[in-house]
């Protein structure tokens, strides 16, 4: 139904004479504001089409969970075509495999071999970062990439262990059961945490609850990753200095203290070789960043360093006996580990908590990396399908001696720069790891631990993005606070607590925006029908006898009281301004509801109470441009009846013009 229909007849046609009302304000620069009331049409503010409760619920659920309408491609299709589309939807391999060519294969083979040269040393290094046997890192670089190649939708995502998830898992599990204290139980907890992470990730995708990971804002992750990178780098002092007894704590002070306290264990051979290789790796990384065409230099450097350092230790082991090495690694494929999943006992809670936290972190990183390279190469990645793919590959990995894996930014960047065309590059990488597991494991016996430490430092140092932190300070101080809180929390307290602090700051920021929305006084820009904030637009002028207020948020229980108090304060300040500048009195309060996207029962009660308060002060309350949902609730709550025919307008300009005309026509 339409509202205020009588007003259209009143103003349409030529029978209504045009009138001009002039108001003068006495400010530093006197301004005359002219409000035209020439013949015009005051438009109806209509209610949205009537819908049943079921229709409203269906529409709301589709907006929340299916904003991309994933089934739009199935419309008007035959049964066979629908079956093919369903297979392609759940298994993207059916989408690209029929069109795969030899040209694509050549590009994927080159990129796959390139990322394998990076994945093998990183896999071993990250496993040690998670306090797991090095072989677990190679296992985790074999099975998960194969699973992802069938289920994943990103063409450039290179799957495997990553530093942040490895660090968090190692930290949380070590606090409960150190690996050297009970290796079997530690492995059980690691595999169980991986299974929990996979179930959690796949569930988010199936239920289309991806917005959960959005609570880790970019600012939060920026600080968290920088803090984790610093801690990870400092922890590598054990390998670079040759220390045997080193703290397992992950705070900056205990780590530095431990390095100094055990200086009697420092090995000069380890220090010289370690820092030389670290300088070499950092130099190649710098070359790769400055000259993208030379990406292969930084990609091949870790494997080249492993080979060279292993040869040096092997040839001169009688003189370099102070350098610790990896030791014996078993040959063979991933052994099954489903029988090691730990679903009962006192440490089950630790495994679940570790799985959820590492699952969120790895999922956030994987989707962010996938979307980044998809945007750079002009294709789209389905976030929910990616969640399912990453979740299922971790579930499968937990049953085949793997720990948490996801898409790695460094390896994905190398993959893209090497010319990868499809996820077949992951299959090539996994095949290379397979050959390594079957035939090359004895070659790693004399690989020094120092080279693993240097590789980790080189990989994580790129997570310290100080330029983005400076930009946060310039653009959004609250985001910078979230970033700084996360960074200091990781450094000073612990990795999980640092993450919790960061999430807490982010949630506080959300609550702050919800409970304290922006409001402001609007004024007319001379010569137009536009009303804007007078503090933002200096040319915008107040209209005497009117207080035009804008609300830039939904009106909910969380902010209703605040808005009522803030509106009354704006009214008081407007009355004082009018009295000081032109001596006129305030007669009407117009609330611009253009940016009010929703209202609940508390908000409705606030509007009703506000109207009563203003009526006691002989002030008229008018609403301008309420949205469809807001209008519907105002109507259903019978509040519109109290506003009458001149209480709701389509625009602020129509409200000012119409009400001014009615005042002028009164005797």
């Amino acid at each position: 139904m339409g509202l205020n229909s009588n007003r259209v007849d009143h103003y349409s046609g030529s029978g209504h004479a045009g009138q001009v009302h002039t108001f003068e304000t006495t400010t530093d620069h006197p301004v005359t504001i002219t409000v035209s009331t020439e013949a015009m049409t005051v438009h109806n503010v209509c209610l949205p089409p009537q819908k049943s409760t079921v229709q409203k619920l269906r529409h709301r659920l589709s907006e929340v969970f299916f904003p991309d309408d994933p089934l739009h491609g199935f419309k008007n299709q035959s049964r066979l075509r629908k079956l093919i589309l369903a297979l392609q939807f759940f298994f993207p391999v059916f989408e690209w495999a029929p069109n795969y060519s030899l040209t694509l294969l050549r590009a994927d083979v080159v990129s796959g071999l390139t990322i394998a040269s990076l994945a093998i040393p990183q896999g071993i290094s990250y496993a040690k970062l998670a306090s797991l046997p090095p072989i677990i890192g190679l296992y985790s670089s074999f099975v998960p990439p194969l699973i992802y190649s069938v289920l994943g939708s990103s063409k450039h995502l290179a799957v495997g262990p990553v530093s942040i998830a490895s660090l968090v898992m190692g930290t949380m599990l070590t606090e409960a059961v150190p690996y050297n204290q009970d290796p079997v139980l530690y492995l059980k907890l690691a595999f169980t945490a991986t299974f929990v992470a996979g179930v959690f990730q796949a569930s988010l995708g199936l239920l289309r609850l991806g917005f959960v990971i959005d609570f880790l804002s970019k600012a939060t992750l920026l600080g968290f990753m920088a803090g984790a990178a610093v801690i990870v780098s400092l922890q590598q002092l054990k390998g670079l200095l040759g220390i045997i007894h080193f703290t397992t704590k992950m705070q900056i002070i205990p780590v530095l203290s431990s390095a100094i306290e055990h200086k009697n264990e420092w090995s000069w051979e380890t220090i010289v070789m370690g820092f030389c290789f670290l300088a070499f790796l950092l130099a190649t990384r710098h070359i790769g960043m400055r000259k993208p065409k030379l990406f292969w230099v930084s990609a091949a450097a870790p494997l080249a360093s492993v080979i060279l350092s292993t040869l040096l230790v092997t040839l001169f082991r009688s003189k370099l006996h102070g350098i610790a090495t990896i030791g014996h690694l078993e040959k063979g494929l991933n052994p099954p580990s489903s029988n090691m999943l730990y679903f009962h006992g006192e440490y089950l809670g630790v495994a679940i908590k570790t799985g959820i936290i590492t699952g969120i972190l790895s999922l956030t990183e994987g989707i962010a990396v996938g979307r980044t390279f998809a945007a750079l190469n002009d294709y789209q990645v389905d976030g929910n399908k990616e969640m399912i793919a990453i979740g299922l590959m971790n579930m499968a990995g937990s049953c085949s001696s793997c720990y948490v894996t996801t898409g790695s930014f460094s390896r994905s960047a190398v993959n893209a720069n090497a010319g990868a065309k499809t996820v077949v590059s992951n299959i090539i990488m996994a095949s290379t790891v397979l050959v390594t597991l079957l035939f090359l494991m004895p070659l790693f016996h004399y690989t020094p631990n120092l080279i693993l430490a240097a590789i980790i430092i080189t990989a994580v140092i790129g997570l310290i993005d100080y330029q983005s932190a400076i930009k946060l300070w310039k653009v959004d101080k609250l985001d910078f606070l979230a970033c700084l809180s996360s960074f200091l929390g990781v450094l000073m307290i612990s990795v999980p607590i640092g993450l919790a602090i960061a999430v807490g700051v982010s949630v506080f920021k959300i609550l702050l925006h919800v409970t304290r929305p922006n409001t402001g006084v609007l004024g007319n820009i001379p010569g137009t029908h536009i009303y804007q904030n007078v503090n933002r637009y200096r040319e915008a002028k107040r209209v005497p006898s009117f207080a035009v207020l804008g609300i830039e948020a939904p009106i909910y229980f969380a902010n209703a009281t605040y808005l009522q108090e803030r509106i009354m304060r704006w009214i008081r300040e407007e009355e004082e301004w009018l009295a000081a500048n032109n001596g006129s009195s305030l007669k009407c309060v117009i609330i611009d509801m253009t940016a009010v996207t929703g209202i609940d029962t508390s908000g409705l009660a606030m509007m009703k109470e506000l109207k009563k308060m203003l009526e006691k002060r002989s002030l008229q309350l008018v609403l301008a441009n309420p949205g469809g949902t807001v209008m519907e609730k105002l109507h259903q709550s019978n509040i519109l009846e109290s506003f009458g025919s001149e209480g709701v307008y389509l625009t602020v300009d129509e409200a000012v013009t119409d009400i001014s005309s009615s005042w002028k026509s009164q005797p």
Side-chain angles (χ1 to χ4, degrees):
M1 59 173 287
L3 299 178
N4 307 331
S5 57
N6 60 314
R7 299 195 318 226
V8 175
D9 296 333
H10 181 70
Y11 284 102
S12 59
S14 59
H16 185 76
Q19 296 175 330
V20 177
H21 305 281
T22 304
F23 305 91
E24 293 189 357
T25 60
T26 55
T27 58
D28 293 338
H29 302 284
V31 176
T32 299
I33 298 182
T34 301
V35 178
S36 174
T37 58
E38 294 181 356
M40 61 171 289
T41 298
V42 179
H43 298 86
N44 291 335
V45 182
C46 299
L47 290 169
Q50 290 187 352
K51 293 181 180 180
S52 66
T53 302
V54 174
Q55 289 175 324
K56 292 178 183 178
L57 180 61
R58 183 190 305 166
H59 175 74
R60 185 59 181 162
L61 291 177
S62 67
E63 290 297 311
V64 172
F65 297 106
F66 303 98
D68 54 343
D69 189 13
L71 301 180
H72 72 281
F74 290 81
K75 296 177 181 177
N76 303 320
Q77 299 291 341
S78 64
R79 291 185 178 181
L80 178 60
R81 182 58 182 165
K82 287 181 179 179
L83 176 61
I84 295 174
L85 290 174
L87 287 174
Q88 293 177 345
F89 182 82
F90 291 105
F91 303 96
V93 63
F94 288 105
E95 186 174 351
W96 56 262
N99 300 318
Y100 199 72
S101 64
L102 187 61
T103 303
L104 296 176
L105 178 61
R106 283 197 293 266
D108 288 335
V109 168
V110 172
S111 57
L113 293 175
T114 304
I115 57 175
S117 67
L118 184 61
I120 292 172
Q122 281 192 349
I124 296 173
S125 304
Y126 291 157
K128 290 185 72 66
L129 185 60
S131 300
L132 291 166
I135 191 68
I136 300 295
L138 291 180
Y139 291 157
S140 302
S141 301
F142 171 53
V143 172
L146 295 177
I147 302 295
Y148 183 82
S149 63
V150 176
L151 301 173
S153 58
S154 172
K155 300 177 183 178
H156 299 94
L157 197 69
V159 172
V162 293
S163 58
I164 298 298
S166 302
L167 169 68
V168 172
M169 175 173 283
T171 302
M172 297 183 70
L173 295 184
T174 300
E175 289 178 354
V177 183
Y179 178 79
N180 53 12
Q181 178 179 317
D182 194 339
V184 175
L185 178 58
Y186 190 94
L187 285 175
K188 288 182 177 180
L189 294 179
F191 297 147
T192 305
T194 302
F195 181 81
V196 171
V199 171
F200 179 73
Q201 293 166 335
S203 299
L204 289 182
L206 288 170
L207 300 176
R208 304 184 72 83
L209 298 175
F211 59 84
V212 171
I213 64 173
D214 291 336
F215 280 99
L216 291 177
S217 64
K218 291 184 178 180
T220 297
L221 288 174
L222 181 67
F224 175 78
M225 290 190 294
V230 173
I231 287 296
V232 169
S233 299
L234 292 177
Q235 270 284 342
Q236 304 318 305
L237 291 175
K238 176 183 179 180
L240 288 178
L241 300 178
I243 300 174
I244 300 174
H245 304 92
F246 199 71
T247 182
T248 57
K249 296 181 178 180
M250 301 299 289
Q251 298 84 25
I252 185 170
I253 295 177
V255 171
L256 291 176
S257 299
S258 181
I260 296 173
E261 289 173 1
H262 297 94
K263 60 183 179 181
N264 57 312
E265 297 180 4
W266 292 8
S267 167
W268 69 266
E269 301 102 324
T270 303
I271 294 173
V272 172
M273 182 179 290
F275 280 94
C276 285
F277 276 105
L278 178 61
F280 169 71
L281 289 171
L282 291 176
T284 56
R285 177 181 179 275
H286 182 74
I287 292 173
M289 290 178 62
R290 287 297 182 91
K291 299 181 179 180
K293 291 184 178 180
L294 297 178
F295 70 91
W296 57 269
V297 174
S298 58
L303 184 59
S305 299
V306 168
I307 295 172
L308 181 58
S309 62
T310 302
L311 286 174
L312 289 174
V313 173
T314 303
L315 295 175
F316 302 101
R317 60 179 179 271
S318 59
K319 297 181 180 180
L320 301 176
H321 56 274
I323 296 179
T325 60
I326 292 177
H328 177 69
L329 295 178
E330 292 287 344
K331 290 194 298 182
L333 296 178
N334 301 34
S337 57
S338 56
N339 60 325
M340 297 185 70
L341 297 180
Y342 183 93
F343 293 125
H344 60 83
E346 60 178 313
Y347 297 108
L348 179 59
V350 175
I352 293 175
K353 183 171 67 173
T354 304
I356 292 176
I357 292 178
T358 55
I360 291 175
L361 289 174
S362 59
L363 195 60
T364 303
E365 181 174 356
I367 292 178
V369 172
R371 285 176 174 169
T372 298
F373 287 100
L376 291 174
N377 293 274
D378 298 322
Y379 67 93
Q380 289 185 331
V381 168
D382 188 325
N384 289 292
K385 288 164 68 174
E386 286 295 283
M387 293 179 196
I388 296 173
I390 294 174
L392 291 179
M393 80 179 186
N394 277 317
M395 292 170 65
S398 67
C399 298
S400 54
S401 300
C402 304
Y403 76 106
V404 175
T405 54
T406 188
S408 163
F409 186 83
S410 59
R411 290 193 291 275
S412 298
V414 170
N415 195 31
N417 289 332
K421 300 300 182 183
T422 68
V423 288
V424 171
S425 59
N426 275 286
I427 299 177
I428 302 300
M429 178 192 71
S431 302
T432 307
V433 174
L434 172 63
V435 173
T436 303
L437 286 170
L438 291 177
F439 306 109
L440 305 180
M441 297 312 295
L443 300 179
F444 292 98
H445 187 281
Y446 290 108
T447 299
N449 289 332
L450 62 90
I451 199 63
L452 303 181
I455 290 173
I456 290 175
I457 292 174
T458 306
V460 302
I461 200 170
L463 300 176
I464 304 175
D465 190 356
Y466 66 91
Q467 292 179 337
S468 294
I470 294 173
K471 187 179 293 184
L472 283 179
W473 171 256
K474 293 179 179 179
V475 175
D476 192 322
K477 301 297 189 293
L478 277 177
D479 268 353
F480 179 80
L481 177 61
C483 175
L484 185 63
S485 299
S486 179
F487 178 74
L488 295 178
V490 171
L491 284 184
M492 301 299 179
I493 307 176
S494 70
V495 174
I497 293 179
L499 182 62
I501 291 174
V503 173
V505 172
S506 297
V507 172
F508 172 76
K509 181 183 176 182
I510 295 173
L511 293 175
L512 189 63
H513 284 302
V514 171
T515 59
R516 296 295 183 268
N518 290 332
T519 60
V521 176
L522 308 184
N524 177 251
I525 298 179
T528 72
H529 301 294
I530 300 172
Y531 283 75
Q532 289 290 345
N533 193 301
V534 295
N535 291 325
R536 180 182 175 191
Y537 293 86
R538 297 296 179 88
E539 66 270 27
K541 305 303 177 183
R542 290 174 167 89
V543 180
S545 300
F546 287 90
V548 184
L549 308 177
I551 299 175
E552 300 178 2
I555 304 176
Y556 291 137
F557 66 93
N559 61 23
T561 302
Y562 167 80
L563 284 174
Q564 180 177 321
E565 295 173 351
R566 192 65 187 90
I567 290 171
M568 294 305 297
R569 178 182 166 186
W570 278 124
I571 293 172
R572 186 183 73 246
E573 292 175 353
E574 281 297 289
E575 289 176 332
E576 294 172 352
W577 185 90
L578 288 171
N581 286 275
N582 59 16
S584 63
S585 60
L586 183 64
K587 296 181 181 180
C588 180
V589 177
I590 301 176
I591 297 181
D592 183 3
M593 303 187 73
T594 304
V596 179
T597 57
I599 190 169
D600 68 355
T601 53
S602 297
L604 293 170
M606 184 275 287
M607 297 298 295
K608 189 174 183 179
E609 180 65 23
L610 179 64
K611 182 169 177 57
K612 289 181 180 179
M613 295 172 65
L614 295 183
E615 285 177 347
K616 291 179 181 179
R617 301 173 60 171
S618 300
L619 295 175
Q620 181 181 359
L621 177 62
V622 173
L623 307 181
N625 196 27
T629 303
V630 176
M631 194 66 183
E632 185 178 30
K633 291 188 177 181
L634 288 170
H635 173 68
Q636 292 172 344
S637 63
N638 298 323
I639 292 179
L640 282 180
E641 295 178 1
S642 64
F643 278 86
S645 62
E646 294 185 350
V648 183
Y649 289 83
L650 189 61
T651 66
V652 173
D653 183 68
E654 287 188 4
V656 171
T657 306
D658 187 45
I659 295 171
S660 300
S661 175
S662 66
W663 291 344
K664 195 70 176 180
S665 63
Q666 292 176 358

